[in-house]
Amino acid sequence: MDLKKYAYDMRVLSQEDVRRGNPSGIEMGWELFRQGCLSGQEPLEGFVSGVDWEAAKAEWDATMATQGQREAALAELRAQEDAYEEELREAFLSGDRAQFDAIMAWPRHSQE
């Protein structure tokens, strides 16, 4: 999601929120924008910000799905690296140099 594209809309939401008596300022614009993206509806009752909330929600959902996939892939990679480090540690602690060298020599990443 290109938030620069929505920077003006976030400020519009903030200004309306301040006008309604909430002194939180520009940070509230992000929160209101996030609420609109999650719901797909105008976040301030009785206000028309001009944002196409259904399109913003679709973009938000696509971005979050991509982010979730990225985080899952990173978690999987970290788990593989941790398992590899654990194998090396066990071989080292047991004093098995041949096993340690075999683990180090295995072209793990090229075949998995």
Side-chain angles (χ1 to χ4, degrees), residues 45-103:
E45 188 177 325
F47 183 67
V48 178
S49 63
V51 176
D52 180 353
W53 289 110
E54 289 180 17
K57 180 177 179 12
E59 190 177 347
W60 178 275
D61 290 345
T63 300
M64 292 300 110
T66 301
Q67 181 66 23
Q69 291 168 354
R70 184 180 303 124
E71 289 173 7
L74 286 172
E76 182 180 338
L77 179 60
R78 283 189 196 106
Q80 290 174 1
E81 290 172 345
D82 290 347
Y84 181 71
E85 289 295 325
E86 182 61 24
E87 286 180 60
L88 283 175
R89 188 181 76 73
E90 287 176 10
F92 178 76
L93 291 176
S94 70
D96 189 345
R97 176 68 187 255
Q99 178 66 16
F100 186 89
D101 289 346
I103 293 167

Side-chain angles (χ1 to χ4, degrees), residues 7 9-15 17-18 22-35:
D9 301 323
M10 285 187 245
R11 286 183 178 251
V12 167
L13 288 168
S14 260
Q15 285 222 309
D17 197 43
V18 168
N22 185 351
S24 60
I26 212 68
E27 294 81 22
M28 194 58 190
W30 161 250
E31 179 57 25
L32 289 168
F33 179 76
R34 187 183 72 77
Q35 290 173 15

